Every structure is written in structure tokens, then in C-alpha cells.
């Protein structure tokens, strides 16, 4: 994920130089490097990722709120969508930033409390267990967890194309969540002690923790809801802006149509299948993230580096390894995508 972020930054800075302006989007980058087909893939992948994740967020938040409030799922899903959709539609940029800041602060506090409480009964020997066969199936979720590449163009603009600063921001910016993920995984997986519920039988370690520690449940619910809320706001704003641009609507004020197209389809889909959360995450990670932020960045960079167009030597390569590295990125992402397609086909064939 660090490599693909650096590849996007490299192409973005080159596109800024060629166009002579900042604020270059992924679509503009794809237009310059990959042509019409690349633009279509980029646009549909972007839309797919956002809708899939919004469906997952609404489904999971409604499940959490139902357990807390004791009201039907459809009411909780509607309540969540209306509250945070209204914040995005009616709120100013400053107000939305303030709300997001409060939510992020609450996330940090709840995460610290959660780790402190859950690590009280940590068994280090449990971390020595491994299930290597589970690695391929976990890659889409891991990729999805580290998605940040959609903000790389903004980062490049804010840092005025300064490649050393951009590289530092991307590397350090991904190192922080990596540290948090490793701490969280160590705490959760370190609670597995019994072989009959261990990794051999693919037991859910979080469910085991919730069953053995009653204090953790409310903290997990609060942490999850806060994390979903911040992500939901960001993806609603991102998809709304994209749809507004796609529909050629003026950007002087909010228009109801893009927000309706952003909020209601995920709400309806989440209500049609309340158990869609993990399905949506898996599909978004496999067919969205690994295409848009796996194959596409390497393909754009390949076109940029090895085409006949002349670009300044000051815009140097951020990722070494030449064609081998780019082939490895495209091949790795493509392998996971094809494997998932084959697995899903076999499952559907067996069901039929």
C-alpha cells in the first residue's frame, strides 16, 4: 500500500507539471496516462468502492445501534444515515471538520481504553500460532484497511509537489495506522488460549474476547461506531463530489440530487441484506481497492515512465525497481483478484 501510494504521487506530480496546475484528480491522471479505457476503469472502481463501503458502514452501524437502543434495524439504519447525511449536507466545511475532530479524539480515547482493558489477560504464546492458509483471503481486507491513496492528490497539492516531503508523509502516515493495527491484532489474537477455539478452526477471536470479558463489549461497540461514523462522513463527501462532477452540476452550493444518490442506495441495500457487512468489505477490497489502488497506479506509472513523452528529470521515480517492481504490483493484485473470482465461481457452481 505504501508502494502504490508513492506511485500515485509520482504520476500526480508529473501530471501537475504537464498541465501546469495543481489539484490534479485520479481521473485526470488516468486520462493522461491510460486513455479512455483507463478513465472508465478508474471511475467505475471509484464509484464501486464508495458504494460498497457505505453499504458496509450502514449495515454495521445499524447492527450496533440495534443492540444499544433495542429498536428495529431499519430504524437504526435510517437514523444513522439521516443524522450523518444531514451533517454532510447542511454543515459547513468548518462544522464538518469540528465534528470529525471530536469523533477522532473519541476514537483515540476509546482505542486506548479498549487496549488497556483487553490486554489484561494477554497470553503471548497465543501469538505464536499461525494459519498460513488464511493469508491470501485476508489480503483484500488488509488492503481495504490501509486505503488512503484517494487523498494523495490533495497531499501533493498541499506540499506543492515536493517529492521528499511527499515520500515522508506517505511512509510515516502509513506507519502510524500499521502500529495501531499490530497492537490491536496482538491484543485480540493474544486472548485465544483454548485449542478447540484456536486458529485451526477459524474461530472469531473478537467474539471469544467479548464472551469472556463483559467490560470489553460496550467499548468495542463505541469504538466501532465512532470509526464507522468518521469513515462514513468522508466517503459521503467524496462520492457526493464525484457524482456532482459526473452530473456536471455547479459547485457553488450543495445540490440534493447527488446526496440522494449517495445516501439512499447504500441504505436500501443494507436493509435488504442485514448480513452484508463482511460481504461488502470483501468485495470492496478485492474488486475495488486492488483494481483502483493496486493495478491502476502501477499501470499509470508504467505508461508515464516508458512512454515517449518527455518529462523533467526533477520529477524522479519514488519507487525503485523499474519494470520488475511495477510487474510485481500488477501481478500480485491481479493474482488476488483472479483467485477471488475463481473461488466465488466455484462456490456458486457448488450451490447450484
Amino acid at each position: 500500500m505504501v508502494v502504490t501510494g508513492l506511485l500515485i504521487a509520482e504520476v500526480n506530480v508529473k501530471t501537475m507539471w504537464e498541465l501546469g496546475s495543481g489539484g490534479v484528480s485520479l481521473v485526470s491522471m488516468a486520462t493522461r496516462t491510460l486513455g479512455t479505457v483507463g478513465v472508465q476503469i478508474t471511475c467505475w472502481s471509484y464509484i464501486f468502492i464508495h458504494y460498497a463501503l457505505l453499504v458496509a458502514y450502514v449495515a454495521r452501524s445499524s447492527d450496533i445501534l440495534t443492540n444499544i437502543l433495542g429498536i428495529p434495524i431499519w430504524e437504526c439504519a435510517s437514523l444513522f444515515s439521516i443524522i450523518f447525511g444531514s451533517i454532510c449536507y447542511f454543515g459547513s466545511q468548518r462544522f464538518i471538520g469540528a465534528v470529525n475532530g471530536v469523533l477522532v479524539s473519541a476514537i483515540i480515547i476509546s482505542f486506548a481504553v479498549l487496549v488497556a482493558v483487553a490486554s489484561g489477560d494477554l497470553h503471548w504464546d497465543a501469538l505464536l500460532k499461525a494459519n498460513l492458509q488464511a493469508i491470501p483471503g485476508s489480503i483484500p481486507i488488509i488492503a481495504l484497511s490501509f486505503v488512503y491513496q484517494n487523498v494523495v492528490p490533495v497531499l501533493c497539492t498541499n506540499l506543492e509537489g515536493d517529492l521528499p516531503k511527499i515520500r515522508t508523509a506517505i511512509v510515516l502516515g502509513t506507519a502510524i495506522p500499521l502500529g495501531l493495527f499490530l497492537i490491536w491484532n496482538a491484543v485480540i489474537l493474544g486472548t485465544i488460549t483454548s485449542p478447540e477455539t484456536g486458529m485451526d478452526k477459524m474461530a472469531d477471536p473478537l467474539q471469544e474476547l467479548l464472551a469472556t470479558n463483559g467490560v470489553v463489549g460496550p467499548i468495542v461497540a463505541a469504538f466501532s461506531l465512532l470509526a464507522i461514523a468518521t469513515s462514513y462522513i468522508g466517503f459521503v463527501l467524496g462520492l457526493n463530489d464525484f457524482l456532482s462532477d459526473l452530473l456536471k452540476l455547479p459547485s457553488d452550493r450543495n445540490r440534493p440530487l447527488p446526496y440522494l444518490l449517495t445516501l439512499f442506495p447504500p441504505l436500501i441495500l443494507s436493509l435488504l441484506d442485514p448480513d452484508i457487512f463482511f460481504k461488502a468489505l470483501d468485495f470492496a477490497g478485492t474488486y475495488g481497492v486492488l483494481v483502483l489502488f493496486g493495478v491502476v497506479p502501477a499501470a499509470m506509472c508504467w505508461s508515464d515512465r516508458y512512454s515517449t513523452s518527455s518529462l523533467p528529470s526533477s520529477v524522479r521515480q519514488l519507487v525503485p525497481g523499474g519494470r520488475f517492481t511495477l510487474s510485481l504490483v500488477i501481478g500480485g493484485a491481479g493474482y488476488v483478484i483472479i483467485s477471488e473470482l475463481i473461488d466465488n465461481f466455484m462456490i456458486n457452481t457448488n450451490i447450484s
Side-chain angles (χ1 to χ4, degrees):
M1 298 303 283
V2 171
V3 167
T4 55
L6 292 174
L7 292 177
I8 290 177
E10 180 182 319
V11 177
N12 188 269
V13 173
K14 289 181 180 179
T15 305
M16 288 169 58
W17 175 86
E18 188 171 282
L19 299 180
S21 62
V24 175
S25 66
L26 286 170
V27 175
S28 299
M29 294 161 58
T31 301
R32 187 179 67 83
T33 57
L34 301 178
T36 304
V37 175
V39 171
Q40 291 295 322
I41 293 174
T42 300
C43 288
W44 287 111
S45 297
Y46 187 93
I47 292 174
F48 176 77
I49 290 173
H50 279 67
Y51 271 127
L53 289 180
L54 287 175
V55 169
Y57 294 150
V58 175
R60 183 58 179 159
S61 63
S62 61
D63 185 49
I64 296 172
L65 289 173
T66 296
N67 293 330
I68 296 174
L69 303 177
I71 59 178
I73 285 183
W74 71 269
E75 292 185 14
C76 292
S78 302
L79 183 66
F80 180 86
S81 300
I82 290 173
I83 290 176
F84 289 100
S86 298
I87 290 174
C88 295
Y89 182 75
F90 294 106
S92 63
Q93 188 174 4
R94 183 175 181 179
F95 177 76
I96 295 173
V99 171
N100 205 51
V102 172
L103 292 174
V104 170
S105 299
I107 288 174
I108 296 173
I109 295 172
S110 61
F111 180 82
V113 173
L114 184 57
V115 170
V117 172
S119 60
D121 190 29
L122 190 64
H123 300 272
W124 291 101
D125 59 322
L127 298 178
L128 299 177
K129 299 177 182 179
N131 183 359
L132 300 182
Q133 294 179 347
I135 291 177
S138 68
I139 290 176
I141 298 298
I142 293 174
L144 184 63
S145 300
F146 283 90
V147 167
Y148 67 94
Q149 290 90 334
N150 54 329
V151 301
V152 169
V154 179
L155 178 69
C156 293
T157 301
N158 292 343
L159 295 180
E160 299 177 344
D162 189 322
L163 291 179
K165 290 183 179 179
I166 293 170
R167 187 206 301 268
T168 301
I170 290 176
V171 173
L172 292 182
T174 51
I176 294 172
L178 173 61
L180 295 178
F181 272 112
L182 291 176
I183 292 172
W184 174 242
N185 286 325
V187 170
I188 297 300
L189 297 177
T191 61
I192 300 177
T193 56
S194 55
E196 62 272 13
T197 58
M199 295 300 292
D200 297 335
K201 294 191 177 181
M202 301 297 288
D204 187 342
L206 181 57
Q207 293 302 319
E208 183 179 344
L209 176 62
L210 295 175
T212 56
N213 192 330
V215 180
V216 172
I219 305 175
V220 169
F223 172 73
S224 300
L225 193 60
L226 290 167
I228 288 172
T230 56
S231 300
Y232 183 83
I233 290 175
F235 276 86
V236 165
L237 293 174
L239 184 56
N240 172 74
D241 289 343
F242 187 87
L243 292 177
S244 297
D245 185 51
L246 196 65
L247 296 172
K248 307 298 182 183
L249 297 176
S251 58
D252 56 340
R253 63 185 180 88
N254 286 339
R255 307 281 173 169
L257 180 58
Y259 275 99
L260 292 175
L261 294 175
T262 298
L263 298 175
F264 278 94
L267 173 60
I268 294 171
L269 287 174
S270 66
L271 293 177
L272 291 175
D273 185 1
D275 298 323
I276 203 173
F277 176 66
F278 289 109
K279 300 176 189 175
L281 290 183
D282 191 45
F283 268 72
T286 303
Y287 307 117
V289 173
L290 290 178
V291 172
L292 183 59
F293 300 130
V295 175
V296 170
M300 290 193 300
C301 201
W302 189 299
S303 174
D304 235 357
R305 291 181 181 181
Y306 307 114
S307 66
T308 57
S309 62
S310 175
L311 288 169
S313 58
S314 59
V315 184
R316 62 181 183 275
Q317 297 181 5
L318 288 177
V319 179
R323 288 182 173 88
F324 175 77
T325 300
L326 299 180
S327 299
L328 197 62
V329 172
I330 295 174
Y335 172 77
V336 176
I337 294 169
I338 293 173
S339 298
E340 286 288 311
L341 284 172
I342 294 174
D343 289 343
N344 289 329
F345 175 77
M346 295 299 294
I347 292 173
N348 293 331
T349 302
N350 293 332
I351 291 176
S352 301

